[in-house]
Amino acid sequence: MAAVLGLIVGVIIGIFVKPDIPIVLQPYLPIMVVAALDALLGAARAYFERSFSDKVFVISFISNVLTATLLVLLGNQLGVGSQLQTAVIVVLGIRIFSNVSAIRRFIFKG
Amino acid sequence: MAGIKKRNILNSMHIQHAQDRENDRTDTGSFPIVRKKPIRQIGGGIVTRLMTSLLIVLLCALLGFGYAIQLNNKTSSYETMSEEELTRLISETSTQVQNLQQRKTELTGQLNSLKASANKQQEAQRIAKENEDTSGILSGRLPAEGKGVIITISQGSKERIDAATMFQLLEELRNAGVEVMALDNVRVVTSTYISDTKKGLECDGEALKTPYKVKAIGDPQNLQNAVNIAGGVGSRFKVKFGADVTVTPSESVDISETRDVGQYQYAKTVE
């Protein structure tokens, strides 16, 4: 409930405020969003498995975002930024898919 | 004794069995079994629970916020591109520009040639029209108008004016550069003739009445001179026939007499 509430509040603020994101941050923001989404879906799965822990969620959220950002930063410094970005997106995408399928199984089994 | 020994054997068998079980385990240890966390004890401070759920709200808000501003962020997409991407983009764009320029050149050439041909056609049409007008006037098919002279010749008091002198007048006018002529109601063209009859002069089959009136389009000064020149046709009219000749220059001589184009039997137009 708190997560949904937070999402809605964040989207509304983002729509109405429209801040200027610094150029340094611009390439990382989409990756951050995807990583956070992955963490959120993992939390949802854990919730359905009745093993949700808010502490774990918060830590995994932050670590996911940080890892993804650092990975892309590393890639940019090594000159393979776009490739590594793709790799991160692919991995996160696979995780999101598996999380979603687990959630679906929980929902439709009863 | 026997009982104790038996028990010892049994005991060692048990031990052996236990050892065997341990040795026969298929778990590799590479995949450690993570136990489910024990169910959390209820309590642990309501403040911490509130804090964590606030943190969750904050994180999710951050996620939504990032998502929303990423959605709105479309303006400065070039700034985040890497050097190679920008190079590729610029080369693609310049190739496109080149292609478009080439296309433009082609189309411009086509347009120019079309314009030129249209002009040529127009020019040809204009010349044809001009020719038509000219030959129409020459052949007497079209009425004409322009500056020239009107010559009036009264009936001769001494003698009747003969055809030869009238013809001489026409010839003099022709030499003076007349462009269109009409004698009374007859348009004078190349095939015009004048003949004497018992009743008077006849021009192209029509009887002429006195006073004879010649309308001529051309340079008025030249035409006037041609008639009035000393010893010329004008004085011949006066001296020989006793007729009055008046030459009136006019800014606008209107010759509305026309003649039909004859049917040619042998001559054909060259295409």
Side-chain angles (χ1 to χ4, degrees):
Chain A
M1 192 49 71
V4 176
L5 199 73
L7 267 180
I8 292 168
V9 168
V11 169
I12 288 170
I13 290 175
I15 286 173
F16 284 105
V17 173
K18 286 184 185 169
D20 277 337
I21 19 173
I23 291 169
V24 188
L25 202 67
Q26 275 189 1
Y28 306 112
L29 191 66
I31 293 284
M32 281 170 150
V33 169
V34 176
L37 206 63
D38 173 51
L40 195 68
L41 282 168
R45 180 189 182 170
Y47 175 77
F48 281 113
E49 284 173 349
R50 309 218 186 288
S51 65
F52 175 74
S53 152
D54 35 17
K55 214 189 300 172
V56 171
F57 168 62
V58 169
I59 290 170
S60 80
F61 189 102
I62 293 171
S63 71
N64 249 13
V65 169
L66 273 183
T67 312
T69 311
L70 287 177
L71 213 54
V72 174
L73 180 69
L74 188 71
N76 276 346
Q77 279 173 351
L78 292 179
V80 286
S82 58
Q83 287 96 317
L84 206 56
Q85 215 164 342
T86 315
V88 170
I89 292 283
V90 166
V91 170
L92 287 177
I94 291 169
R95 282 176 50 131
I96 286 172
F97 268 110
S98 68
N99 280 340
V100 166
S101 67
I103 291 168
R104 180 207 1 117
R105 246 176 272 129
F106 274 105
I107 287 174
F108 287 109
K109 253 182 194 169
Chain B
M1 267 308 268
I4 292 166
K5 202 174 181 182
K6 206 174 194 175
R7 191 172 293 158
N8 274 347
I9 290 165
L10 247 167
N11 219 0
S12 63
M13 273 180 72
H14 272 301
I15 290 165
Q16 186 65 48
H17 185 66
Q19 272 182 351
D20 284 347
R21 269 180 70 98
E22 187 67 27
N23 289 337
D24 286 346
R25 275 181 63 166
T26 52
D27 292 348
T28 57
S30 300
F31 300 99
I33 298 158
V34 179
R35 275 177 222 294
K36 245 184 179 175
K37 273 173 67 176
I39 294 159
R40 212 168 5 139
Q41 277 105 5
I42 299 166
I46 197 150
V47 180
T48 27
R49 289 195 60 187
L50 203 68
M51 284 296 286
T52 45
S53 60
L54 258 180
L55 207 54
I56 290 172
V57 170
L58 185 71
L59 288 177
C60 288
L62 268 178
L63 168 60
F65 183 66
Y67 169 71
I69 61 176
Q70 185 62 32
L71 273 192
N72 289 329
N73 177 32
K74 280 164 196 152
T75 48
S76 51
S77 58
Y78 291 122
E79 291 170 14
T80 62
M81 281 187 178
S82 72
E83 204 173 324
E84 310 153 29
E85 275 175 313
L86 288 172
T87 320
R88 189 176 47 77
L89 208 66
I90 208 167
S91 68
E92 271 176 16
T93 315
S94 56
T95 318
Q96 211 172 0
V97 166
Q98 267 175 8
N99 285 344
L100 288 176
Q101 208 101 42
Q102 204 178 335
R103 184 98 183 102
K104 190 192 159 214
T105 318
E106 278 174 25
L107 289 176
T108 312
Q110 268 179 21
L111 181 67
N112 281 344
S113 67
L114 284 176
K115 264 189 192 162
S117 70
N119 276 349
K120 227 180 262 174
Q121 214 164 3
Q122 229 168 7
E123 189 68 17
Q125 226 159 18
R126 196 182 60 76
I127 289 170
K129 184 90 176 72
E130 226 167 59
N131 283 344
E132 195 192 345
D133 285 351
T134 313
S135 56
I137 287 173
L138 270 180
S139 65
R141 193 165 45 79
L142 298 174
E145 187 260 349
K147 60 179 180 179
V149 293
I150 296 171
I151 303 161
T152 321
I153 303 155
S154 67
Q155 198 174 12
S157 53
K158 294 179 187 167
E159 210 179 316
R160 225 168 54 185
I161 293 168
D162 67 346
T165 317
M166 193 53 95
F167 182 72
Q168 200 189 344
L169 172 71
L170 296 187
E171 284 302 301
E172 286 294 340
L173 288 174
R174 247 179 209 154
N175 286 341
V178 77
E179 285 169 3
V180 182
M181 266 190 295
L183 183 53
D184 273 7
N185 291 326
V186 184
R187 177 79 169 259
V188 178
V189 292
T190 45
S191 61
T192 301
Y193 68 88
I194 299 174
S195 62
D196 286 314
T197 61
K198 280 172 190 165
K199 288 176 184 169
L201 292 177
E202 195 187 90
C203 179
D204 283 356
E206 276 197 41
L208 300 178
K209 286 179 190 130
T210 49
Y212 307 115
K213 196 175 159 196
V214 179
K215 289 186 279 185
I217 294 176
D219 182 31
Q221 193 60 49
N222 284 352
L223 298 179
Q224 236 174 324
N225 288 346
V227 178
N228 290 338
I229 194 166
V233 69
S235 55
R236 186 179 165 86
F237 273 121
K238 282 171 198 159
V239 174
K240 195 178 175 192
F241 303 104
D244 283 336
V245 179
T246 43
V247 182
T248 322
S250 170
E251 273 304 300
S252 164
V253 178
D254 191 11
I255 298 179
S256 54
E257 289 83 6
T258 57
R259 80 175 37 229
D260 295 331
V261 179
Q263 292 293 317
Y264 297 107
Q265 198 178 344
Y266 303 107
K268 269 187 212 156
T269 317
V270 177
E271 294 291 337

